[in-house]
């Protein structure tokens, strides 16, 4: 097994004994509703769509060698149609993705390239592992510990039992599940939020700490080393959270985006709020940090505008705004890992780049 790879361990269930399905059908076109963008560490783009207004509620996963090729289906390496909408896509390493589905299932996908049997060309395809159905409602968010991937993983995360955690999934059934690198369940927390979980975020500084936000307006921080693993650090019915994300390099600070269109910093130790900034007058749906410039975070919501904010020690300021690229709601945000160009997608079948100064 390659370093950082997810090795699925049989669990004694028939579903786990099934062989992976190899994609042999590519959808004709990319659906209009592009919900998710995700870059691999090698700069390849993975794009997920959901069919929201057709006869069947399906989702498509696409693979593009270059982001400039999206969303042209003719330029895609391959695509695959799933019998469920796709809520989230996260790259685990260079050759594996994990999908959170509207069906409540988690799906592991392997990205494969081989030489074509009859032509001297490369053949690209997805290897779809059987889904893991542990949730009773649709998955709303998925996050991964990035320090567990194949490029930056430590020996402890590669094999030791002390830090096995890899993926978190949150669902509208109120359940939060922590998955290990063998896609086994490390922790099944229910009810984490009785009204439903709407956002989860892994603390990249500690493999045992993560945060969750619920539909009831609470933010909780979990440290699964402790017997009393959960602390409620924020509650405000007037400004309920919509998306949460740990500020890079700051173990005790969350960036919170609210349903009222504001962002602010939350100190999880003192439970204090600071650096409040109103970004838009609609609900925020997505936050995406730049890896090259960790003080910059892209923001999008129920609007056509792409925002980039600058997060400093005790201050958040507007850094970049673009309201001309999209004609419908912006949903996907991702920064290119090498060029640091911001890419966005929306419900207008567009994938746009932004040169953020």
């Amino acid at each position: 097994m390659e370093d950082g790879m997810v090795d699925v361990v049989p669990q004694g269930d028939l579903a786990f004994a099934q062989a992976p399905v190899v994609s042999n059908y590519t959808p004709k076109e990319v659906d209009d509703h592009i919900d998710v963008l995700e870059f691999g560490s090698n700069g390849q783009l993975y794009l997920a769509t959901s069919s929201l207004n057709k006869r069947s509620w399906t989702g498509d996963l696409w693979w593009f060698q270059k982001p400039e090729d999206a969303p042209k289906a003719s330029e895609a390496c391959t695509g695959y149609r799933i019998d469920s909408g796709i809520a989230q896509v996260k790259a685990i390493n260079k050759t594996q993705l994990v999908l959170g589905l509207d069906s409540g299932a988690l799906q592991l996908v392997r990205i494969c390239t081989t030489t074509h049997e009859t032509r001297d060309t490369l053949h690209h395809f997805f290897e779809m592992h059987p889904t893991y159905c542990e949730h009773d409602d649709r998955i709303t968010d998925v996050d991964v510990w990035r320090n567990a991937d194949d490029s930056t993983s430590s020996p402890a995360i590669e094999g030791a039992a002390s830090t096995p955690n890899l993926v978190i999934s949150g669902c509208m059934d109120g359940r939060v599940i922590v998955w290990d690198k063998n896609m086994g369940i490390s922790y099944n927390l229910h009810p984490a939020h009785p009204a439903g979980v709407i956002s989860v975020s892994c603390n990249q500084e500690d493999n045992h700490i993560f945060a969750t936000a619920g539909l009831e307006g609470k933010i909780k921080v979990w440290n699964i080393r402790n017997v009393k693993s959960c602390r409620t650090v924020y509650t405000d019915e007037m400004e309920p959270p919509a998306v949460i994300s740990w500020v890079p390099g700051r173990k005790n600070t969350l960036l919170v985006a609210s349903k009222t269109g504001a962002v602010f910093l939350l100190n999880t130790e003192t439970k204090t709020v600071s650096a409040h900034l109103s970004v838009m007058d609609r609900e925020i749906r997505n936050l995406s940090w730049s890896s090259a410039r960790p003080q910059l975070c892209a923001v999008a919501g129920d609007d056509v505008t792409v925002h980039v904010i600058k997060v400093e020690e005790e201050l958040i300021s507007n850094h970049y705004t673009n309201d001309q690229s999209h004609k419908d709601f912006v949903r996907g945000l991702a920064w290119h890992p090498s060029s640091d160009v911001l890419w966005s997608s929306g419900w207008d079948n567009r994938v746009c780049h932004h040169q953020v100064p």
Side-chain angles (χ1 to χ4, degrees), residues 191-212:
H193 295 271
V197 182
I198 55 176
S199 183
V200 298
S201 181
C202 298
N203 190 319
Q204 302 301 328
E205 306 296 318
D206 193 316
N207 187 254
H208 291 83
I209 297 177
F210 60 93
T212 61

